Amino acid sequence: MATKDFGAIETDYAFFMSHATEAKSDVQEYARKLADFPDGRTGIHLLDFGCGTGEFSQQLLEELAWPKSALTLTLFEPVDHQQELAASKLSRFSDHAIASLGEASYDRRPTFDLIVSNHVLYYAEDLAQTIDQLLERLAGQGRMLLAMAGYENALIKLWKVGFDLLKQPIPFYVAEDVADCLATHNLHVETSSAGYQIRFPDSEENRWKILRFLFGDYLRQIPRDELLREFDQYVQNDHIVIDTFSQHFDVQFPAQK
Ligand SMILES: C[S@@+](CC[C@H](N)C(=O)[O-])C[C@H]1O[C@@H](n2cnc3c(N)ncnc32)[C@H](O)[C@@H]1O
């Protein structure tokens, strides 16, 4: 599938993040799932796969308020300077040095008690392979929490309209693909949804920011006016207001008999 360079659309993604309650709603859903996660564990090794600038995990770790001594953090993010930013933002949540997944040679990489990948797997080159690799790194009693939007999400509907205009399928994965991949493994998977709102002052430039975040390089090829008009259905007074939701996957290995 296609890759997407979040370095090139950094400010557009930041605009989306600051005008959506998505992160807040995802944090609440993860925190609900993880309320009793520490159980008897003395340590938690967490992998944030596709951490971006760490803004999301910062909110999550603030909410979870786990002891700094118990938490070890490993990050993976293809945009190098974003991973550096994430590491400096998240260092205050752990007494241990923050590791990068890329540092250890493959067979010396640790296993993780918790893997979080928040709105990342759309952009996997090969989703089945990525999920296999994440599961290989998940500890026997570990949990993997994933958030993804599916075909009923308003932004994925925008992808559909845009790529239909280009007469090609959506070149990224969606929640339904993740569900299909997980179903090929012997796993215990709980799914839930988390509602959120996107709200911003209506202007062509602001509509365009959301489209740049969504389509990246593809945007140049798509007829501009048709795509901009897609926002008309969401106009409320002088704002765009979109109510939509994400899918959450809570993944564990089945209990051993
Ligand atoms: C929508 S952002 C989410 C960032 C962060 N998890 C959050 O919730 O704010 C998607 C992130 O996935 C990263 N990404 C893109 N392709 C990736 C890949 N193949 N593997 C891991 N991360 C990837 C991007 O660079 C970007 O930081």
Side-chain angles (χ1 to χ4, degrees), residues 3-7 13 17 22 48-57 76-79 82 117-120 122-125 130 213:
T3 57
K4 185 156 146 191
D5 176 10
F6 269 72
Y13 181 58
M17 287 288 272
E22 186 198 54
D48 184 354
F49 184 76
C51 61
T53 60
E55 203 174 305
F56 172 78
S57 284
F76 179 73
E77 166 54 47
V79 181
Q82 293 197 356
S117 190
N118 192 55
H119 295 288
V120 172
Y122 313 98
Y123 314 112
E125 280 183 55
T130 301
F213 149 55

